[in-house]
Amino acid sequence: MPEPLFRHPSRSEIIELAVAEGHDADILSNAGSIRRIPSHSPSQHPEKDSSFIIEKDTEKATEEESISSDEEVEDVAEHGPDIVFWDGPDDPQNPMNWASAKKWGTVALVSAITFLTPLASSMFAPGVPEVMKTFNSTDEMLEGFMVSVYVLGFAIGPMIIAPLSEMYGRLPLYHSCNSFFVLFCVAAALSTNMSMFIAFRFFMGCFGGAPLVLGGGTIADLITREQRGTAMVVWMMGPTIGPCVGPIIGGFLTEAKGWRWNFWFVAIVAGAFLVLSIILMNETSAPVILERKAKRLRASTGNPKLRSKLASELSAKDLFKFSIVRPVKMLTRSYICLAMSIYVAITYAYLYVLFTTFTAVFKTQYGWHGGIVGLSFLGLGLGSLIGQTVFTHYGNRTATKHIARGDFKPEHRLYIMAAGGPFLPVGLFWYGWSVQAQTHFMVPIVGTGVIGFGLLMTFMPASTYLVDVYTIHAASAMAANTVLRSLAAALLPLSSQKMYTAMGYGWGNSLLGFVGLLLVPIPFLFIKYGERIRKGNVVKL
């Protein structure tokens, strides 16, 4: 039986759990927080007030603080008769003590929802020409934007969902966001003009981002550290593989039933998941469960002093401030966050350039029609899957080796990024010129596999690097990264059709490849100068 939090958790444990839950480590989690953030004014002697914030420069953390410090941190609340916590190590209310079937059933359901919503981002891509005919549009910009606008919702929705989940728990956000997601899927299927369709796609993305925000925290609530890695890998397959699998399904579905059935299909499956989640899922956030327990006890005992050991002293205003303002500060003031975010944003945008053009490319160059067009996305999906596997194995092995030696630096995360970065431009050159020459269709599909591999080998190491650099503010760095990449993925594909018309598929993709080549030195520069930059470029939050 896992041991609930009766001992003071270490700094690294709190940071790890906070990252999984998608918030900074100075915001309360199941393990507490790095420091208290009082809603009242601090004392006149902050050095003597254990709950007073002393803001720390984000990037001045030592190596020990940033990855493996086991120093004990201030407990989230004092022990006393008015403090409400778990009723012993076997308390059945503690999600860590739930039956295995209930825990893993919840993880499976959350992972399925997390797979469905990214899948919906690109599922109808093969049906884009049919949508254009339905709405009598020939605007090439709208042709790309109707696919990528979904990702714009991914940038905006989570910024609001994250602080709301800290205030009200995970379950209300799952249910409400899933309900709205189904509603806007139905609305998109029933759209009667292009404006309606694009607006509903945007709101699908806003609410579809909920499992991406909440899923990691749910897994961290339920699964012990020893078993959490497996669950997180399964959960992460949604955002990495889902967008590549979607068009394969969508291609055949569009041919058989028309483009609207892509949305009916998603609405039906999402609706089934919603019903299952209402029936089977329970709240897993320890602060919320304990707060409800404290409220019941205050009512039954008449003691107004009772409060949860994990009670948050953050106001709603502070939660939204940290969720929105901190990422903007990091993106505008930190060289590391800005450079990594630009790299990831450009490479992620390339993914949606391909999503919005594959159908036209394989129709015009290879004469593919109907459901078979969806198979053009297969190489990208397989390449992404291989990239995730390679990163998980070799990236973690490199970090583990240096941690065991005691000389780990965040820059060690970038070795695999430096090795994998060149695959992206190579894949773009391969794909572009093989399509231009109309070689056998397997040649460009293999090229897209190389692109998918390169994407994952840049995206995943950059994310883990930001976590290790920013430690307690890692979630804000990740949010900054997410916003910039989502904006790029929504806007850059708008000009892709015009680019290919003007330059051809060979030189058009070569242009993207040359930009990718310019980005390749970034991890090498940070491997050599990253530590110096971290100490010289300080961001105060």
Side-chain angles (χ1 to χ4, degrees), residues 437-458:
Q438 292 185 312
T439 59
H440 188 275
F441 67 82
M442 278 304 298
V443 179
I445 286 180
V446 172
T448 62
V450 177
I451 294 172
F453 179 80
L455 283 169
L456 264 292
M457 293 289 278
T458 55

Side-chain angles (χ1 to χ4, degrees), residues 152-351:
L152 189 61
F154 272 8
I156 296 172
M159 302 293 282
I160 300 171
I161 293 168
L164 287 176
S165 70
E166 301 302 322
M167 290 186 282
Y168 303 111
R170 309 195 203 288
L171 201 61
L173 270 297
Y174 274 123
H175 293 340
S176 59
C177 289
N178 287 348
S179 298
F180 279 113
F181 179 74
V182 173
L183 177 65
F184 285 111
C185 281
V186 172
L190 296 173
S191 298
T192 56
N193 59 63
M194 184 67 77
S195 299
M196 288 175 60
F197 180 75
I198 289 177
F200 293 144
R201 280 276 294 172
F202 169 74
F203 285 114
M204 281 177 63
C206 286
F207 293 104
L212 301 177
V213 178
L214 305 172
T218 301
I219 291 171
D221 293 340
L222 297 168
I223 309 300
T224 60
R225 296 178 83 186
E226 294 74 20
Q227 298 177 304
R228 197 176 298 156
T230 302
M232 291 296 285
V233 167
V234 174
W235 176 70
M236 278 298 296
M237 289 181 69
T240 54
I241 311 301
C244 303
V245 174
I248 299 173
I249 302 171
F252 291 101
L253 191 57
T254 299
E255 181 184 28
K257 303 291 289 184
W259 68 265
R260 294 183 189 273
W261 263 92
N262 286 287
F263 297 94
W264 287 119
F265 172 83
V266 173
I268 291 167
V269 176
F273 286 154
L274 173 61
V275 172
L276 287 173
S277 65
I278 291 173
I279 296 171
L280 301 176
M281 286 180 66
N282 298 104
E283 182 59 65
T284 62
S285 174
V288 172
I289 295 171
L290 288 171
E291 183 56 40
R292 291 174 183 171
K293 180 180 179 181
K295 185 177 180 180
R296 290 195 304 269
L297 290 173
R298 284 194 296 269
S300 62
T301 64
N303 181 1
K305 295 181 181 180
L306 291 173
R307 64 186 178 92
S308 164
K309 185 177 180 181
L310 298 180
S312 175
E313 296 184 6
L314 278 173
S315 65
K317 180 181 177 181
D318 284 335
L319 280 171
F320 276 100
K321 181 180 72 174
F322 294 154
S323 179
I324 295 170
V325 175
R326 274 183 178 173
V328 174
K329 281 186 176 181
M330 286 193 167
L331 200 57
T332 56
R333 299 181 185 180
S334 167
Y335 299 145
I336 289 177
C337 188
L338 179 61
M340 284 294 160
S341 296
I342 289 174
Y343 196 159
V344 170
I346 291 174
T347 56
Y348 192 69
Y350 286 175
L351 181 66

Side-chain angles (χ1 to χ4, degrees), residues 151 154 212 235-241 243 340-341 343-349 351-352 384 387-388 391 413-414 416-418 420-421 424 451-467 478 481-486 489 523:
V151 192
F154 272 8
L212 301 177
W235 176 70
M236 278 298 296
M237 289 181 69
T240 54
I241 311 301
M340 284 294 160
S341 296
Y343 196 159
V344 170
I346 291 174
T347 56
Y348 192 69
L351 181 66
Y352 281 85
S384 299
Q388 184 179 20
F391 166 76
R413 297 285 190 187
L414 298 179
I416 195 165
M417 185 178 181
L424 179 63
I451 294 172
F453 179 80
L455 283 169
L456 264 292
M457 293 289 278
T458 55
F459 177 77
M460 299 298 286
S463 299
T464 54
Y465 178 58
L466 290 175
V467 170
M478 293 295 294
N481 181 285
T482 299
V483 169
L484 192 62
R485 79 167 188 257
S486 298

